[in-house]
Structures are given as structure tokens and as C-alpha cells.
Amino acid sequence: MKAKRSSDKSLGMNKQITRRDFINSSLIGTGGALLAASAPISFLSSCAEEQIKKDVWTGYGAVGDYANASGNTKAVMEAAHKIRDGVYSGQKPATKKMDTVYDTIIVGGGMSGLGAAHYFKKNASANQKCLLLENHPIFGGEAKRNEFLVDGHRLMGPQGSNDFGVPREGSGSFTDKLFEELKIPREFAYQEWDSGLKPLNFGLDNYAHMAGVAESKVDIGYFFKAGQGVDKNQWFNNMWRDDLEDSPYSAAQREEFLNWRYHRSDRRGLQFAQLLDSMTYKDYLEKELGFSSKITEYIDPVIGLINGAGADAVSAFAASQIGMPATGRSRGKNASLPLSFPGGNTAFARYFVKDIIPEAIQGQHSFEDITNQSVNFAALDKAENQVQMKMSATVISVQHDGTPDAAENVTVVFEQGGTLYEVKARSVVMASGGWVNKHIVKDLPQDIKEAYAEFTYAPALVANVALTNWQFMYKQGITAAQWFGDGFGFSCNIRKSMVIGDYAPPLHPDKPTVLTFYMGAHTSGLPLAQQNMNARMKVFGTTFFDYEKQLRQQLSEQFGQHGFNAEKDIAGITLNRWGHARITQGPGFYFGKDGKPSPRTVVEKGFGRIIIGHSELNGHQNWSGGVSQGYKAAEKALAIV
């Protein structure tokens, strides 16, 4: 079988590529040892071959607008490490000075930066100009996608940022206004399931099947290895839907699990929130509510992924923000399914860019064209744009021209294409993450430095596995899987995807699809910062080959009995590594501790003409929170210019 070549030149490929080529492209891209093997490199497409030669660490980037921007690529990581390691410190480097003095420069093109740019475009006067600098090859931050072509079918999966809810029309909420202004639809068409096949329940995003979200609404298989309460490797389907009746747990264990999962608390309000923020989720469950450590161990992978560290290090209030059980916001069996666009929250980023620079995405301002048409990268950086966007532009220095309270301008230095540029602005919005800001804002006040020192970040790894078919899951009667102990992450799933114009992937076990894995790599039992460091070493210190090997072996172990064959069933694997994916909210992050304000409130105030507005300041990071921070920052920036 062959994946047909698309006529869309934006896919960057000029000849046919077989299913085996996808597999070999990722294998060849894993390390020098394999490059010496007799691999059929002559069969690779020119795009894949060149990509792998340039970057064997990142691996295969799939196709389309995002082919060279899978997570933190090697190039992005190396540029960031130069800043961290002080390569540009000391003597001021020679720069090429830009003539334009911008009213606002926005550092970062993720959801916060795009939100700031959108607010500027809406509210600035016609003669005011803005420059957005983004260090990745394409805008969106973690809201990007992977695209595959398998057997003639175009498939998408999220690189990171995922999940949204539709705001009630006319509610006047922040998201309602955004949906209205950007013309984002509120109703969607989905893939249809063949009535001749056995019924299956699919998630619409990549979180619903996780514990504490909406697991009763999805057909999930739980894989237990021998010694994990069973004598041999065994699957249990939909344990929670039947209140754990068909599970390896004892009657006493089942009772405790159910008490935790459906625990109701009447406590609400600020006082309860502050109580939760004063302790870890583990202490809240075990010391406050009296649950055993078995409960904490069970939920740890979800907390470790979404909150970035184990339940023994994360604030119980942070757990409440993602709806974890027993915190007063628990979801029960009636929980609704969260939604996802085909490429995760990529759609929001593309809507913003299309609104800010209409020529930047080809076609009309429609759901279909914004999703399916190519990015016109040349249009982003036109000098005549009111909001000009530069990609692959890494900011290395931001500093007031004089004292913050008296300066009229801020000087920004950035690197692009091997050249250092110097540009001035009357205000700067730092929409980049705190782990970057604390290094590049050179005149940062001491109180903000100290606050940033309390910000800790965890990595995440998202793998999209393009499959030629998924009969092995259909035979088990599931669309999602979860496992326990060691392994690549702890769960994976196939979504029921939106159908958007020409984007109409099949939904049939004999047809191609994308199987998505989210992995957090936390290590419970260690201090918060140490958990983050260990996780980052694991995510970035493991080769693409080792991860691919883990995935193939794991799927073979779990589904070999149902006929899974990695050689035939895997069309391609793309890894998206995010070094600072999550702000990890230890006790006190939201409301402060020891009588001191929370570090996020200290950072948010900014100073002088430098305004700080990134998603971590919202506490729990999500697309709308990031945008709202960008809006607030841009409003402050325009007020001082």
C-alpha cells in the first residue's frame, strides 16, 4: 500500500512515499549506529531525508506546515540553551540595527502572544505598529499539530495544547466574545461510525479517557501485567462504567476507589480554595480525607501529566482546577466529553493569525480554509503589516533605554538566521514563558527575580503514531487504553475527529488513524524541583530510537494477541518534546504562603515599559487563559505608548 502524494506544495514532498518509508525515516533518524546500517535511504522522500540529515535527535516531523516544528526541535532547544548558559552575556555583541521604532514588540507567538497581537490590532490607531517575535518556525507555541499522509488519507494529531469547551452563545464571557468575533463555529460535524460494526464509544479529545475526566463515556481497556493483581497479562474493559465490578481489585479496594471517585464536598469559596492551596493533593486525600496511598498512586500519572509533578508535590487547589475527584469540582458519570479540533488547539492560533494578517492563511475566513489551507509564511513578515510577525526569531535581550521609570524606549535584541538584530519599541509584552524571561530581561527588578525563582516547570512528551489500521484495538473492543507501572506514558487513545470540508479522515478499524500518547515523566517521592529536573532529563535525554523502540514493544506486548504487527500497522511516529510544558503549582502558588503574595501576582505587575503576560500567570494553563493574559498585557502596553 502507498500513501499518495498530495498536490499541495505546502506539504513539502515531491514524490510518493511508502508506508515503509515512514517507518525507516524515523529509524534512520535515531542515531549514528543506524545510519551505518543497510537501510533503504534511497526510498526516502527528499523532504524526509534532508530533515533527518539535519536533525537526527528530533526525528521525523511528518508533513505540512508543521513538518519542521515538532515540539522543541533540536534547533529551538540549542538556541534556548545558549541563552540559559550565558553565551550572549558579557560584552555587547555586534548587531544589525533596525530603523523602525515599534509601538509594541511582543516576545512569543503562543496563545498569549497571539492574544496580545489580536488585542493590539483591534485597539491600536492606524499608524501604530507592532512586531511579534517567535522562536519556533511557526506560530502557536504548544498549540501546533502533526500531519500525516497514509494510504491517501490526511490525518492530524495535536502536538500539545488540546481540549476546549464551547461557550454559551450570548453569555458575554471572554471566550463567547472571542468565538463571536473570530467566527469560530460552535457546532461540528464528526466522523460517522459504520452501523455494521460493533458499537464503540470514542473520546473527542485526548483527555476524556483519563481518570477523573470522563472515563465512563469512552470505551477504555485497562492493561494489567502479571503481578499487578492478576496472574497473567490481562485486559479489563470499562472498569469504571460498571463501578469496578470487572476489575482485579478487592471488594474493599473497590469501595475506597468509588468513594474517592464520586466524593462530594459541600465546601466552596475562597477559604476552601486557600485551604486546598496550602497542601499537596496527596496530603489532602490521605491526611484530610483519610484515603489510602493506593488512591494517590492510581491518580498520580494524570496529575503528573496535567499538573507536571506527582500528587505529593502539587497543590490540591491545582488538582481542583483540572476537576480531580474530592476537590469540590469532581466530574461523575454524567461528565460531558471535552472537545478537540483535529490538530488540538492549533485551530485557535490559526484563527487569530488569519484575523490579524488575512493573507497569512490562504482562502477565506472560514472554518474549512483556516483548518485546511496552507500558511503563507511570506505574508507574516511584510513591513506594511500593522502587526508584523517574524518566525525563528530568538530574543536574547530585552532592556529599557535607561531607568525603567524614565526610559522612553526598550531595546530588544534577537537572533534570526545567524544574524543578531537590534530593534526598539515604546513598550514590550513578554508573552514568552517565565523560564525564558528571567534570562533575557536584563533589568528585571529583584522582587520579580525572586518570584520567578519560585516558578518551576515540567516537561511533557506527546507522541502521535500514524497507523495503517487499528483492528488490534477494535478486536479488544476499545478506543483508548491505560496501563500501570513502567511504559511509555500511561494511556493512549483514538479520537472521533471533526470533519471539516476536505478534511474527512475515515473512522473504520481497517483504515488509517492516529493513536496519541501523552506522557509526563514525573517521579513521585522527590521535591518538586527535583521531579521537574529528572523528568526533563528523561524526556530530552532519551533518543528518538529508544522512544520508538519502547512504543513498538509496548504495543506488541499489549496487542500482539490481537494481531498487532509493528511492521505493517505503524505508518509513522512523530515525537513532540516540550521542555517546559507545564507550570508546576506547589502549595502556595495560587494564593501565596507564609504571609507573602503568590509569585504569579508579583510577576504579573511588570515594570516600566515591559509588561509580562504569559499563560503561567493564569495558574492552570489553557488556551483561553493564555489569550486573556495577552489581552491584559497588550492593554497595558497601549496605555503607555
Side-chain angles (χ1 to χ4, degrees), residues 317-465:
F317 184 75
S320 79
Q321 296 302 287
I322 61 170
M324 285 295 99
T327 61
R329 295 185 59 186
S330 303
R331 305 178 181 96
K333 288 186 178 180
N334 295 322
S336 59
L337 289 172
L339 307 182
S340 173
F341 295 112
N345 289 336
T346 310
F348 291 121
R350 294 172 74 93
Y351 262 100
F352 275 120
V353 170
K354 180 67 171 174
D355 190 79
I356 297 166
I357 307 173
E359 295 179 1
I361 296 177
Q362 298 174 21
Q364 303 301 310
H365 190 106
S366 67
F367 190 29
E368 180 177 347
D369 283 351
I370 289 172
T371 299
N372 297 329
Q373 292 293 329
S374 301
V375 172
N376 178 3
F377 287 94
L380 295 173
D381 195 16
K382 288 184 176 179
E384 61 266 30
N385 293 349
Q386 185 172 18
V387 177
Q388 186 179 352
M389 298 185 183
K390 292 182 180 291
M391 301 296 107
S392 298
T394 302
V395 175
I396 66 170
S397 174
V398 179
Q399 188 169 5
H400 289 93
D401 293 349
T403 60
D405 57 346
E408 295 184 359
N409 292 313
V410 179
T411 296
V412 175
V413 178
F414 67 94
E415 185 274 332
Q416 187 184 45
T419 299
L420 289 177
Y421 296 89
E422 183 176 309
V423 59
K424 294 184 182 293
R426 296 181 180 87
S427 66
V428 172
V429 170
M430 299 302 301
S432 48
W435 67 92
V436 172
N437 294 351
K438 67 181 182 181
H439 291 293
I440 65 177
V441 181
K442 300 304 181 181
D443 52 351
L444 206 62
Q446 186 62 30
D447 61 340
I448 297 182
K449 287 183 182 179
E450 292 174 357
Y452 263 144
E454 297 185 49
F455 280 52
T456 58
Y457 298 89
L461 174 61
V462 180
N464 284 309
V465 180

Side-chain angles (χ1 to χ4, degrees), residues 308 457-459 519-542 547 579:
Y457 298 89
M519 188 177 86
H522 73 288
T523 49
S524 296
L526 297 172
L528 180 58
Q530 189 64 49
Q531 287 196 38
N532 295 160
M533 184 180 299
N534 286 8
R536 203 151 26 247
M537 291 174 65
K538 180 179 180 180
V539 168
F540 282 87
T542 304
Y547 274 134

Side-chain angles (χ1 to χ4, degrees), residues 198-490:
K198 62 185 176 186
L200 283 180
N201 296 298
F202 294 80
L204 303 178
D205 78 330
N206 297 108
Y207 291 117
H209 61 285
M210 296 182 186
V213 184
E215 63 267 50
S216 294
K217 296 293 184 70
V218 183
D219 281 322
I220 309 167
Y222 297 84
F223 184 73
F224 289 80
K225 290 186 178 182
Q228 296 177 333
V230 293
D231 296 330
K232 61 179 181 179
N233 293 358
Q234 189 172 349
W235 284 98
F236 294 85
N237 284 8
N238 301 318
M239 297 192 312
W240 286 98
R241 194 176 300 164
D242 299 320
D243 291 336
L244 304 177
E245 285 298 324
D246 184 23
S247 75
Y249 301 122
S250 67
Q253 288 175 323
R254 289 199 300 270
E255 181 180 7
E256 184 179 35
F257 270 119
L258 293 171
N259 286 340
W260 160 73
R261 181 64 185 90
Y262 304 117
H263 176 89
R264 292 185 178 276
S265 174
D266 294 330
R267 292 188 286 183
R268 295 287 190 277
L270 178 60
Q271 188 173 2
F272 181 50
Q274 291 173 330
L275 172 68
L276 291 176
D277 194 42
S278 70
M279 66 183 77
T280 66
Y281 187 47
K282 176 181 174 70
D283 283 347
Y284 175 67
L285 291 179
E286 297 179 15
K287 295 180 180 179
E288 190 82 5
L289 300 182
F291 289 112
S292 73
S293 61
K294 292 291 184 183
I295 301 297
T296 310
E297 291 168 5
Y298 182 84
I299 198 60
D300 240 3
V302 179
I303 297 293
L305 168 68
I306 303 178
N307 292 110
D312 62 342
V314 167
S315 156
F317 184 75
S320 79
Q321 296 302 287
I322 61 170
M324 285 295 99
T327 61
R329 295 185 59 186
S330 303
R331 305 178 181 96
K333 288 186 178 180
N334 295 322
S336 59
L337 289 172
L339 307 182
S340 173
F341 295 112
N345 289 336
T346 310
F348 291 121
R350 294 172 74 93
Y351 262 100
F352 275 120
V353 170
K354 180 67 171 174
D355 190 79
I356 297 166
I357 307 173
E359 295 179 1
I361 296 177
Q362 298 174 21
Q364 303 301 310
H365 190 106
S366 67
F367 190 29
E368 180 177 347
D369 283 351
I370 289 172
T371 299
N372 297 329
Q373 292 293 329
S374 301
V375 172
N376 178 3
F377 287 94
L380 295 173
D381 195 16
K382 288 184 176 179
E384 61 266 30
N385 293 349
Q386 185 172 18
V387 177
Q388 186 179 352
M389 298 185 183
K390 292 182 180 291
M391 301 296 107
S392 298
T394 302
V395 175
I396 66 170
S397 174
V398 179
Q399 188 169 5
H400 289 93
D401 293 349
T403 60
D405 57 346
E408 295 184 359
N409 292 313
V410 179
T411 296
V412 175
V413 178
F414 67 94
E415 185 274 332
Q416 187 184 45
T419 299
L420 289 177
Y421 296 89
E422 183 176 309
V423 59
K424 294 184 182 293
R426 296 181 180 87
S427 66
V428 172
V429 170
M430 299 302 301
S432 48
W435 67 92
V436 172
N437 294 351
K438 67 181 182 181
H439 291 293
I440 65 177
V441 181
K442 300 304 181 181
D443 52 351
L444 206 62
Q446 186 62 30
D447 61 340
I448 297 182
K449 287 183 182 179
E450 292 174 357
Y452 263 144
E454 297 185 49
F455 280 52
T456 58
Y457 298 89
L461 174 61
V462 180
N464 284 309
V465 180
L467 300 170
T468 63
N469 75 92
W470 51 282
Q471 273 287 346
F472 57 91
M473 294 183 74
Y474 178 73
K475 290 175 181 177
Q476 179 59 35
I478 60 175
T479 61
Q482 183 174 335
W483 50 93
F484 305 91
D486 295 333
F488 187 98
F490 67 96

